[in-house]
Amino acid sequence: MFQQSLYHTYQRYRTLQTHKISALPVVILMPHSACNCRCVMCDIWKDNKNLKQLTEQDVAGLLSAFKKYGTKQVVMSGGEALLNANFFRLCEILQERGISVVLLSTGLLMQKNAVQLLQYVDEIIVSLDGDEATHDRIRNINDAYRKLKEGIQTVKVAKPAFRITARTVIHKLNFRVWPEIIKSAEELGVDQISFLPADVSSQAFNRELAWDEPRQAEILIDKEELSELKAILNGIIKDHSQDFESKFIAESKDKLQKIYSYYAAFYGLNAFPYKKCNAPWVSTVIEADGSVRPCFFHKVIGNIRDNKLEDILNSEAAIEFRKTLDMDTNSTCIKCVCYLNLPPGASVG
């Protein structure tokens, strides 16, 4: 096992040095294109009528690449992955190859699928948008919070040690209840909560075009609201020292401050926060129609229904993309809200 781990670490170093994928520790799959929420900061649900989903054959076809590149973890994203009728069969295929499965979920279907989740999934990350009233309003779904709570409780009663964490996108519609979000996370019984700002500038999350200014303004925290955001953030840092120390709040205090800096940057008050990211070198995103992206935010580089994943990732165009990608100047990277930095020696999961 030690030799295998050392070899994988070496292959991750080679990838960073040559820009040719030799190791791929993390893969993000989108098993289903639709979503069971209608969130104000996301457009995925607007295309629910045009259903796309990954099949058992699609995932089986990826296994050779996963073996070749030593994939350790598959993150099931969406849409809502649980809407795929064959979701647990997809998990079983991965589980049989020793690959861990992490589910990103709205939480609405957790209670219904609790038994199978405990059998086929290693960790769940749920979306939490506020206290009950705020969460339901942002999700645009009645009883979304209640269903989330019931799902978490059902899983935790069956297996208290099962890891469930929460992720919150902070934006104009919920930043004022930020302290209540932390309290809600504690009451829900999740193991940890993390925070990030809202993406308002990319074409991710099923946006055919980047949002125009009026649409951005629905989510973007106003310049006049920044002082209030800063005061709330400072209050959290002051009042939740124990939560930072215990890692119940995933981010460090300094990293959490970057949420303010991100929004302030839209008004020229500071630069966008610096991010150290190597996502295109250590992971890839495969969408429900088979499209492959270097990460959530960059353009499609191929489709697994047309070519093998190995050939897509190491095509001349893909290698050139990684070789020439300067994250300090690339407009997509500069404004990115969700980034991954996985050093060669770091474990996954």
Side-chain angles (χ1 to χ4, degrees), residues 92-315:
E92 185 179 28
I93 292 171
L94 298 168
Q95 188 183 68
E96 289 170 349
R97 272 70 179 181
I99 298 171
S100 68
V101 176
V102 177
L103 170 64
L104 306 183
S105 178
T106 64
L108 300 184
L109 297 174
M110 280 178 60
Q111 184 179 42
K112 176 183 177 182
N113 295 284
V115 173
Q116 288 175 297
L117 285 168
L118 289 169
Q119 183 176 357
Y120 294 110
V121 173
D122 297 280
E123 179 182 345
I124 300 173
I125 303 172
V126 298
S127 298
L128 177 62
D129 293 305
D131 54 18
E132 184 166 3
T134 306
H135 181 83
D136 288 359
R137 185 167 61 251
I138 290 173
R139 294 270 131 187
N140 272 317
I141 296 290
N142 292 332
D143 296 325
Y145 186 93
R146 177 182 62 78
K147 292 176 181 178
L148 172 62
K149 182 177 181 179
E150 290 172 351
I152 292 171
Q153 290 176 341
T154 301
V155 171
K156 283 291 191 179
V157 166
K159 189 176 181 180
F162 188 88
R163 183 169 174 79
I164 302 176
T165 63
R167 182 176 294 169
T168 301
V169 177
I170 294 294
H171 51 76
K172 182 182 182 70
L173 302 179
N174 68 359
F175 80 92
R176 290 185 174 90
V177 298
W178 199 341
E180 286 75 15
I181 295 173
I182 298 172
K183 183 178 179 181
S184 293
E186 293 170 346
E187 292 174 348
L188 288 171
V190 299
D191 297 288
Q192 188 180 58
I193 184 165
S194 64
F195 300 97
L196 70 162
D199 170 50
V200 299
S201 58
S202 81
Q203 288 180 252
F205 311 111
N206 198 44
R207 300 167 188 163
E208 290 186 11
L209 299 171
W211 284 350
D212 57 18
E213 289 187 7
R215 183 68 177 93
Q216 288 185 8
E218 296 176 19
I219 300 300
L220 194 64
I221 295 174
D222 293 339
K223 185 177 182 180
E224 294 74 20
E225 297 172 323
L226 287 174
S227 59
E228 188 177 359
L229 171 64
K230 192 171 188 66
I232 291 169
L233 185 50
N234 288 339
I236 289 170
I237 291 172
K238 177 183 176 182
D239 297 338
H240 289 271
S241 294
Q242 187 173 345
D243 289 327
F244 286 104
E245 291 173 9
S246 68
K247 299 295 184 182
F248 180 73
I249 296 177
E251 290 78 18
S252 66
K253 296 176 182 179
D254 288 342
K255 189 172 182 180
L256 210 65
Q257 290 277 15
K258 290 184 178 181
I259 294 179
Y260 168 84
S261 300
Y262 170 81
Y263 285 114
F266 278 94
Y267 306 102
L269 301 178
N270 52 247
F272 281 94
Y274 170 74
K275 295 169 286 290
K276 189 175 182 180
C277 175
N278 61 5
W281 289 265
V282 300
S283 67
T284 193
V285 175
I286 302 173
E287 298 180 337
D289 65 354
S291 296
V292 178
R293 295 179 185 268
C295 74
F296 280 107
F297 303 97
H298 283 286
K299 293 180 179 179
V300 171
I301 58 174
N303 192 296
I304 59 170
R305 293 170 181 167
D306 299 327
N307 295 288
K308 291 182 178 180
L309 181 61
E310 301 98 305
D311 296 334
I312 295 169
L313 294 177
N314 283 324
S315 67

Side-chain angles (χ1 to χ4, degrees), residues 5 8-9 12 25-26 72-73 100 340-349:
S5 177
H8 183 72
T9 299
R12 284 160 67 173
V26 179
K72 309 294 185 184
Q73 183 182 88
S100 68
L340 171 68
N341 182 44
L342 191 65
S347 60
V348 177

Side-chain angles (χ1 to χ4, degrees), residues 313-325:
L313 294 177
N314 283 324
S315 67
E316 289 185 13
I319 293 172
E320 184 65 15
F321 167 79
R322 290 187 290 269
K323 187 181 294 185
T324 58
L325 180 60

